């Protein structure tokens, strides 16, 4: 929802994408702090990635949920059909020589060498990007220094490229190509890599205003295969990148795709999408006025013939817990300078401040006018601590024993070596939170699908306040509890005070009316998906309707008009 991410803290929460991003978007604050010298290249790479995906401002949802689990699944295609998967051909962090890569990857490299002959003369560095995935970086020496020339990520078992970047070409100034040039150059490059498989893909424009990015989507039986797609970046000189936003797909023959049958009627589709629409309260960004809104919180796919939900690597479902009754304390904590921050952390939260000092990083929060936000960063001590304040009051903190994060899908709220159960950790989180809850909060729900600012050993709880039993999206709190020690390692207070009364629920339009509005601007699309069952990707394509939630949708439940 609206918890400040690490990127927001550094004023780098930019370009909220309307397409599903790769996990590389999720640059954590810790990485930024220890890799200052790489910031310029990272920002350039972010801009290039934004262009290649044809992004526009929208809610970043699947970012936290997609790439890591998909990487794990596709690198073990055998495990889909057997209960004992084979060991991956390369482990994360493993360093190898080029001669030691898998035969499938060697075959793909030969194709790549034909496309970019100068790579043959370069000595690359090879490392396990993830279990079962190679990252191969080719360097060119310039003035005695090594400069990245080309980087490529490939699935060890299949040799498929999930990401290719020609950094040399990216850094060269060149105008955008014409449509004919873009199609010709991208097709020649991708066909050389895919061989006969290339015939399965259809071309379309990916960038909004030009042909700097070309999309290739697989089609079977005249229908798109969702998520089996390549984005190819081009300029007037040639190909700059090849990107698979959801990762390289495992091989599936055309015969595995079932012929289209009898699909749901229009009325059944409307009823299904209506069940995914949620009524929520939100606050107008500029005025703080409460709004009663319909939004589509559940994303993904449902079976085109049965209407059953189909989970995929790009699905996300809001899973709210039962109502939690609370006794709010309304407590505020003054933190006007670094000394007061240290005092509050020691006296209020019991953190050992021996040898620890804080430095302030003054900034204006990007989406809160008139709010003076300050980030305090610790030095000394055995833990890395960051403290957030708004208008001289403490609104959150983050504690790390070392530089470490865990992706939400790898984590799945099942922290490593936990001694506390989920319920025990939740009880600790509620007990911790109650004193600091706004006095108006009487009930909470946890969105169990949200795992924010995680570490590998911590449970993550995203709490949302209720008004008349309805979730208020702009009144939320984050509490993360270490599953081994019970320590609170994250706390974020993102409660916004409403300006004015909440609209009456009885005045809302019906779900059916809301969904008709949604489908006018976001029609469902028929295609195929590889389903995920029990966190395992199945090589059994299913016909599905795709519910488009990549574009932002919020409907005023009183007027029936779209909220801009």
């Amino acid at each position: 929802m609206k918890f400040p991410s690490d990127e927001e803290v550094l004023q780098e929460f930019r370009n909220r994408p309307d397409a599903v991003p790769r996990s590389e978007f999720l640059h954590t604050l810790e990485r930024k702090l220890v890799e200052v010298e790489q910031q310029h290249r990272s920002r350039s790479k972010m801009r290039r990635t934004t262009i290649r995906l044809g992004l526009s401002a929208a809610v970043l949802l699947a970012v936290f949920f997609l790439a890591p689990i998909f990487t794990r699944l596709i690198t073990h295609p055998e495990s889909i059909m057997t209960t004992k998967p084979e060991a991956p051909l390369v482990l994360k962090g493993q360093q190898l020589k080029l001669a030691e890569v898998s035969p499938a990857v060697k075959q793909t490299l030969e194709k790549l060498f034909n496309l970019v002959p100068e790579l043959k003369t370069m000595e690359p560095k090879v490392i396990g990007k993830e279990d079962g995935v190679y990252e191969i970086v080719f360097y060119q020496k310039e003035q005695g220094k090594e400069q990245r020339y080309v980087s490529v990520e490939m699935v060890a078992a299949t040799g498929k490229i999930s990401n290719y970047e020609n950094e040399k070409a990216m850094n060269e100034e060149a105008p955008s190509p014409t449509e004919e040039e873009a199609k010709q150059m991208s097709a020649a490059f991708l066909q050389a890599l895919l061989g006969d498989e290339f015939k399965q893909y259809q071309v379309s424009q990916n960038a909004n205003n030009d042909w700097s990015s070309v999309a290739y989507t697989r089609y079977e039986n005249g229908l798109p295969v969702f998520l089996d797609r390549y984005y190819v970046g081009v300029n007037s000189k040639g190909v700059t990148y090849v990107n698979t936003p959801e990762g390289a797909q495992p091989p599936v023959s055309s015969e595995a795709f079932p012929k289209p049958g009898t699909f749901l009627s229009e009325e059944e589709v409307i009823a299904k999408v209506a069940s995914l629409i949620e009524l929520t309260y939100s606050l107008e960004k500029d005025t703080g006025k409460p709004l009663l809104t319909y939004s589509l919180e559940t994303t993904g796919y449902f079976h085109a013939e049965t209407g059953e939900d189909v989970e995929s690597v790009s699905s996300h479902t809001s899973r709210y817990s039962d109502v939690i009754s609370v006794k709010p304390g309304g407590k505020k904590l003054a933190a006007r300078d670094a000394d007061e921050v240290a005092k509050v952390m020691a006296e209020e939260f019991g953190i050992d401040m021996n040898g620890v000092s804080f430095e302030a990083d003054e900034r204006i929060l990007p989406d809160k006018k008139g709010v003076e936000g300050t980030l305090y960063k610790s030095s000394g001590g055995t833990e890395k601590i960051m403290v957030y304040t708004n208008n001289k009051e403490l609104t959150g903190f983050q504690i790390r024993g070392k530089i470490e994060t865990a992706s939400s899908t790898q984590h799945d709220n099942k922290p490593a070596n936990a001694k506390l159960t989920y319920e025990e950790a939740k009880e600790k989180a509620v007990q911790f939170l109650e004193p600091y809850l706004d006095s108006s909060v009487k009930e909470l729900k946890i969105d169990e699908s949200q795992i924010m600012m995680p570490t590998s050993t911590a449970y993550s709880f995203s709490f949302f306040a209720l008004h008349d039993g309805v979730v208020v999206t702009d009144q939320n709190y984050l509490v993360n509890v270490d599953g081994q020690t019970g320590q609170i390692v994250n706390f974020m207070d993102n409660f916004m005070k409403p300006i004015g009364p909440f609209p009456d629920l009885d005045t809302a339009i019906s779900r059916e009316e809301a969904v008709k509005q949604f489908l006018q601007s976001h029609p469902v699309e028929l295609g195929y998906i590889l389903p995920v069952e029990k966190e395992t990707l199945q090589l059994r394509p299913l016909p599905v309707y795709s519910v488009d939630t990549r574009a932002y949708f919020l409907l005023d439940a009183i007027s029936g008009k779209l909220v801009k």
Side-chain angles (χ1 to χ4, degrees):
M1 293 290 181
K2 291 189 177 180
F3 287 116
S5 69
D6 294 338
E7 293 179 352
E8 286 177 306
V9 171
L10 292 178
Q11 294 182 287
E12 293 182 357
F13 186 68
R14 52 194 186 270
N15 300 325
R16 303 177 76 170
D18 63 356
V20 182
R22 294 165 35 222
S23 62
E24 282 81 357
F25 281 163
L26 307 180
H27 295 292
T28 62
L29 178 60
E30 295 93 333
R31 180 178 176 184
K32 290 181 180 294
L33 294 175
V34 299
E35 295 183 354
V36 175
E37 70 279 6
Q38 295 183 354
Q39 285 183 347
H40 176 73
R41 191 169 68 82
S42 295
R43 287 194 294 268
S44 298
K45 182 175 180 179
M46 179 69 76
R47 287 193 295 270
R48 295 192 300 264
T49 308
T50 300
I51 294 172
R52 80 185 62 153
L53 291 176
L55 306 177
S56 62
V59 177
L60 185 69
L61 294 175
V63 108
F64 296 94
F65 297 87
L66 303 184
I69 185 173
F70 189 67
T71 300
R72 185 174 71 251
L73 294 173
I74 65 174
T75 55
H76 303 282
E78 297 86 358
S79 67
I80 299 168
M81 311 304 288
T82 63
T83 57
K84 294 183 179 181
E86 295 181 7
L89 298 175
V90 62
L91 300 177
K92 181 178 180 179
Q94 182 182 354
Q95 297 183 3
L96 305 94
K97 295 180 180 180
L98 191 62
E100 297 174 321
V101 300
S102 67
V105 167
K106 288 179 180 178
Q107 291 179 6
T108 304
L109 281 173
E110 285 302 319
K111 299 175 183 178
L112 189 60
F113 290 157
N114 290 332
L115 291 167
V116 191
E118 59 267 31
L119 297 182
K120 293 181 181 180
T121 64
M122 301 178 188
E123 187 64 31
K125 294 182 180 179
V126 184
I127 193 170
K129 176 77 173 181
E130 300 288 345
D131 286 359
V133 178
Y134 297 108
E135 180 181 35
I136 305 173
V137 182
F138 295 86
Y139 291 88
Q140 183 183 49
K141 282 195 175 182
E142 293 183 2
Q143 298 179 346
K145 294 183 179 180
E146 286 188 338
Q147 301 290 338
R148 289 169 68 103
Y149 193 91
V150 162
S151 63
V152 59
E153 296 170 17
M154 286 187 277
V155 179
T158 65
K160 285 199 170 187
I161 288 180
S162 57
N163 187 50
Y164 162 83
E165 292 184 349
N166 189 322
E167 303 219 5
K168 178 74 171 179
M170 286 178 174
N171 293 328
E172 291 178 347
E173 294 294 332
S176 297
T178 64
E179 177 180 349
E180 183 180 355
E181 288 174 334
K183 289 181 177 179
Q184 184 178 15
M185 289 186 292
S186 60
F189 196 94
L190 198 58
Q191 186 172 14
L193 292 175
L194 299 182
D196 290 341
E197 289 182 20
F198 178 76
K199 299 175 183 178
Q200 300 170 337
Y201 293 82
Q202 294 186 17
V203 65
S204 63
Q205 186 181 21
N206 186 48
N208 290 327
N209 301 315
D210 57 31
W211 281 87
S212 61
S213 181
V214 186
Y216 287 87
T217 303
R218 182 177 178 177
Y219 275 73
E220 294 291 347
N221 300 320
L223 300 176
V225 182
F226 299 124
L227 311 185
D228 191 344
R229 54 187 174 176
Y230 291 89
Y231 293 150
V232 183
V234 285
N235 57 31
S236 58
K237 294 183 179 180
V239 171
T240 57
Y241 64 81
V242 177
N243 178 275
T244 55
E246 291 79 28
Q249 292 279 305
V252 180
S253 67
S254 296
E255 290 73 22
F257 289 83
K259 300 292 183 182
T262 303
F263 299 132
L264 298 175
S265 66
E266 181 179 353
E267 292 75 16
E268 290 172 317
V269 169
I270 291 175
K272 176 61 183 180
V273 178
S275 72
L276 307 179
I277 294 284
E278 296 184 17
L279 191 63
T280 57
Y281 283 112
S282 61
L283 306 181
E284 275 191 346
K285 182 177 179 180
D286 294 331
T287 66
K289 176 185 176 182
L291 298 174
L292 184 59
T293 56
Y294 280 109
S295 60
L296 193 66
E297 300 294 341
T298 298
T299 71
Y301 310 88
F302 57 92
H303 201 291
E305 297 173 353
T306 67
E308 295 178 354
D309 292 336
V310 177
E311 184 180 354
S312 79
V313 295
S314 64
S315 297
H316 166 65
T317 303
S318 291
R319 302 189 302 272
Y320 287 111
S321 69
D322 293 336
V323 174
I324 303 170
S325 297
V326 290
K327 297 179 180 179
K331 192 173 186 179
K332 299 296 182 182
L333 301 171
R336 290 164 289 193
D337 54 34
D339 291 338
E340 280 198 346
V341 166
K343 183 179 179 181
V344 169
M345 294 300 292
E347 296 180 359
E348 187 73 20
F349 303 119
I351 307 301
D352 183 7
M353 291 289 103
N354 186 32
V356 177
S357 61
F358 286 94
E359 293 182 0
D361 177 16
E362 301 287 342
R363 74 197 192 288
I364 299 298
L365 295 182
D367 61 346
K368 295 182 180 179
K369 294 181 180 179
V371 175
E372 179 187 355
T374 306
L375 167 67
Y376 291 90
K377 297 175 287 188
S378 70
S379 59
T382 59
E383 296 177 313
K384 180 182 179 63
I385 305 173
M386 286 174 287
V387 179
Y388 311 89
T389 68
N390 286 347
N391 296 336
K392 308 301 182 182
E393 290 184 349
L394 188 146
T395 55
F397 62 81
Q398 174 177 286
I399 301 173
R400 295 288 184 266
K402 57 182 179 179
I403 298 174
E404 177 199 36
T405 61
S407 77
S408 55
T409 36
Q410 284 177 326
H411 189 288
D412 200 28
N413 241 355
K414 297 174 183 177
N417 304 316
K419 296 180 181 178
L420 298 177
T421 66
Y422 177 88
E423 291 299 323
E424 290 170 337
K426 181 175 74 173
E427 184 177 353
K428 280 186 172 291
V430 173
Q431 290 175 351
F432 169 86
L433 184 59
E434 278 189 311
Y436 313 108
L437 287 173
D438 187 84
S439 57
S440 65
V441 178
K442 301 299 188 290
E443 294 180 326
L444 296 169
K445 280 187 176 182
I446 299 172
D447 184 348
E448 296 172 346
S449 68
Q450 287 201 28
I451 301 173
M452 309 295 290
M453 304 173 82
T455 65
S456 62
T457 61
Y459 292 99
S460 182
F461 301 97
S462 295
F463 294 93
F464 290 84
L466 304 184
H467 180 82
D468 289 340
V470 176
V471 166
V472 185
T473 60
D474 296 293
Q475 296 183 346
N476 47 57
Y477 302 85
L478 171 70
V479 181
N480 289 354
V481 182
D482 190 282
Q484 298 177 3
T485 66
Q487 180 186 15
I488 306 300
V489 293
N490 268 104
F491 166 57
M492 296 301 297
D493 177 349
N494 200 40
F495 184 95
M496 292 180 61
K497 286 271 190 184
I499 307 300
F502 284 88
D504 193 330
L505 290 175
D506 293 336
T507 60
I509 63 174
S510 68
R511 285 177 178 268
E512 287 70 26
E513 291 178 85
V515 79
K516 287 178 182 178
Q517 286 271 19
F518 172 77
L519 290 174
Q520 283 182 5
S521 55
H522 304 72
V524 294
E525 185 178 7
L526 185 62
Y528 292 102
I529 200 74
L530 296 182
V532 172
E533 297 178 2
K534 297 181 179 179
E535 299 187 359
T536 302
L537 188 68
Q538 306 294 314
L539 299 186
R540 177 174 45 83
L542 297 178
V544 295
Y545 282 111
S546 170
V547 182
D548 177 14
T549 57
R550 292 174 295 174
Y552 185 60
F553 173 77
L554 194 64
L555 188 75
D556 189 311
I558 308 300
S559 68
K561 296 181 180 179
L562 291 174
V563 178
K564 296 182 180 179

